[in-house]
Amino acid sequence: LGVDDAFILVTSYQRAMKEYGDHEKAIEKALRVGGMSILITSLTDFLAFAIGSTTNLPALSSFCIYAGLGVIFDFFFQITFFMACLVLNARRTEAKRRDVFVCVKDGDEEFKSYQSEARGCCMFQCGCA
């Protein structure tokens, strides 16, 4: 559920960034297009679990209640926290910041002494390609 929603939102955001080039407009478009898609799937999943919670089997009923609540939580998590992290990551990439060491830009001379010739990782001269 959550991974599928994340793929939908990321794809919608990337398409909107190509179209607009502005983070705010891209988020608006991604949530309008991708958000509606994950809203529909989340509502149908929640409805299925809500119907399943009416069963006479206590274990299955409890599972359906918690799974339905998990689906609703996942939806709100995707449209709030995940989208915010997606924008922060896009801004980090635009600023040419590293993944882990965000205080280091991609062209910093201080950082070049830590890179190997084979484009090794970060602080280690591992020589990985």
Side-chain angles (χ1 to χ4, degrees), residues 16 29-31 42 44 48-49 66 70 77 89 101 103 118:
K29 176 82 174 196
L31 285 176
S42 295
T44 55
F49 285 122
Y66 288 115
F77 179 76
N89 186 53
F101 298 109
C103 57

Side-chain angles (χ1 to χ4, degrees), residues 10 13-14 17 21-24 26-27 82-97 99:
V10 167
Y13 178 75
Q14 288 174 342
M17 275 301 288
D22 179 38
H23 293 292
E24 291 180 14
I27 285 292
F82 180 75
M83 286 304 286
C85 289
L86 187 65
V87 171
L88 288 176
N89 186 53
R91 288 180 180 167
R92 178 197 57 80
T93 6
E94 277 184 356
K96 297 188 187 315
R97 300 274 182 193
D99 290 341

Side-chain angles (χ1 to χ4, degrees), residues 45-96:
D45 289 344
F46 174 75
L47 183 63
F49 285 122
I51 291 170
S53 69
T54 62
T55 186
N56 291 331
L57 301 169
L60 185 59
S61 178
S62 295
F63 170 77
C64 288
I65 290 170
Y66 288 115
L69 291 174
V71 167
I72 296 299
F73 171 77
D74 180 54
F75 171 74
F76 286 112
F77 179 76
Q78 292 289 336
I79 64 172
T80 56
F81 184 74
F82 180 75
M83 286 304 286
C85 289
L86 187 65
V87 171
L88 288 176
N89 186 53
R91 288 180 180 167
R92 178 197 57 80
T93 6
E94 277 184 356
K96 297 188 187 315

